[in-house]
Amino acid sequence: MINIAIDGPAGAGKSTIAKMVSAKLGYIYVDTGALYRAIALYIKENAIADEDIEKSLADADVSLRFVDGAQRVYLGDRDVSGLIRTNEISMEASRTSSIPAVRAYLFETQQKIARENNIIMDGRDIGTVILPNADVKIFLTASAEERANRRFRELSEKPDCPPYEVILKDIIQRDYQDMNRETSPLRQAEDAILVDTTSLNLEESAEEILRIIREKTGRE
Ligand code: DC
């Protein structure tokens, strides 16, 4: 199986770009952030206190399903793929993903998908912890200001769009939390290739990643 790991900070365009690239290659795209978001939703909906999180995980029953190649995330039999896409869950997932028991709980789910499929998996610790032997590792980034700009443009069509300054502040806070936690912090693996998309559009970013994958795997 071919495993491609894409890590990087929030808002670097990982999911959009990874989807474009996986469609071209016919690989499954796995968004691991959705797993952490689903856990955050579970914790919030059940008002679970931090000290009770570890023992409650056994009942969370988080899983990924793939419908026509597209990922859906489930809590039990409930598809929560839409519910996890709020700013509140973003911040809560960033916080709760630092809990070692949460990371340990999701470890095997991620490795199993990678063992059984050709995948592009995006997250924060895919190249460093989950798939240290991935065939290709990419670290995708962009400046915090550019990431906030992109997020602002995306949200500006929605009625409750926060001001740009709030989005930028949240991005900087999430970067800090994701990079400074003790367990599996966000960092570039030694053998990962850095792709900075600050001045690249989506097509250019996808092209660059495809070029790296072709070069590394020898596959068209
Ligand atoms: O990629 P995302 O924004 O959907 O991720 C939400 C949060 O989950 C992010 O702030 C950090 C965490 N996360 C993680 O710790 N490890 C991953 N592999 C993916 C996400």
Side-chain angles (χ1 to χ4, degrees), residues 32-33 36-37 93-94 97 103 123-126 174 178 181:
T32 63
Y36 292 91
R37 287 169 179 270
S94 178
S97 63
R103 308 203 71 83
R124 303 293 190 287
D125 62 341
I126 309 306
R174 278 178 77 191
D178 294 351
R181 64 177 177 229

Side-chain angles (χ1 to χ4, degrees), residues 79-92:
D79 183 342
V80 295
S81 311
L83 285 177
I84 59 170
R85 300 289 158 197
T86 65
N87 207 38
E88 193 190 352
I89 294 296
S90 298
M91 298 312 281
E92 182 67 0

Side-chain angles (χ1 to χ4, degrees), residues 26-47:
Y27 292 5
I28 288 182
Y29 162 59
V30 185
D31 161 20
T32 63
L35 293 167
Y36 292 91
R37 287 169 179 270
I39 295 272
L41 181 69
Y42 173 78
I43 291 168
K44 185 182 150 250
E45 283 185 339
N46 295 285

